[in-house]
């Protein structure tokens, strides 16, 4: 058994009409359907869409780190 890990990072985008936090949760939930061993995330961009002068939806770009199998 080793005491080190090797990680890979991917970039994903999530959105929500409710909040930035909900956009993050949506992105991670969808990512978890196909990516195993997710360990951390980093929000690298936050933006939104404007509808009639108000927030239409929030959009966040995340970098997600996951451990490679056998690491």
């Amino acid at each position: 058994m080793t005491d080190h890990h090797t990680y890979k990072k991917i970039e994903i985008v999530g959105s929500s009409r409710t909040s930035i936090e909900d956009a993050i949760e949506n992105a991670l939930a969808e990512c978890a359907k196909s990516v195993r061993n997710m360990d951390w995330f980093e929000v690298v961009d936050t933006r939104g869409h404007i509808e009639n002068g108000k927030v239409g939806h929030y959009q966040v770009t995340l970098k997600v780190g996951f451990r490679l199998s056998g690491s």
Side-chain angles (χ1 to χ4, degrees):
M1 187 92 144
T2 64
D3 61 350
H4 68 279
H5 301 289
T6 302
Y7 295 89
K8 181 172 178 100
K9 289 193 297 187
I10 58 173
E11 191 170 275
I12 61 174
V13 179
S15 65
S16 169
R17 290 194 171 275
T18 308
S19 68
I20 291 169
E21 290 83 3
D22 197 42
I24 293 169
E25 294 288 342
N26 291 342
L28 292 175
E30 196 63 32
C31 189
K33 292 178 182 178
S34 59
V35 176
R36 296 181 327 193
N37 302 322
M38 294 189 314
D39 279 346
W40 53 268
F41 72 91
E42 170 187 0
V43 177
V44 295
D45 194 20
T46 306
R47 64 190 159 275
H49 181 249
I50 301 169
E51 294 175 354
N52 300 318
K54 296 182 180 180
V55 174
H57 69 271
Y58 301 91
Q59 193 175 50
V60 294
T61 302
L62 307 174
K63 288 188 179 180
V64 177
F66 60 95
R67 252 179 302 112
L68 296 177
S69 295
S71 168

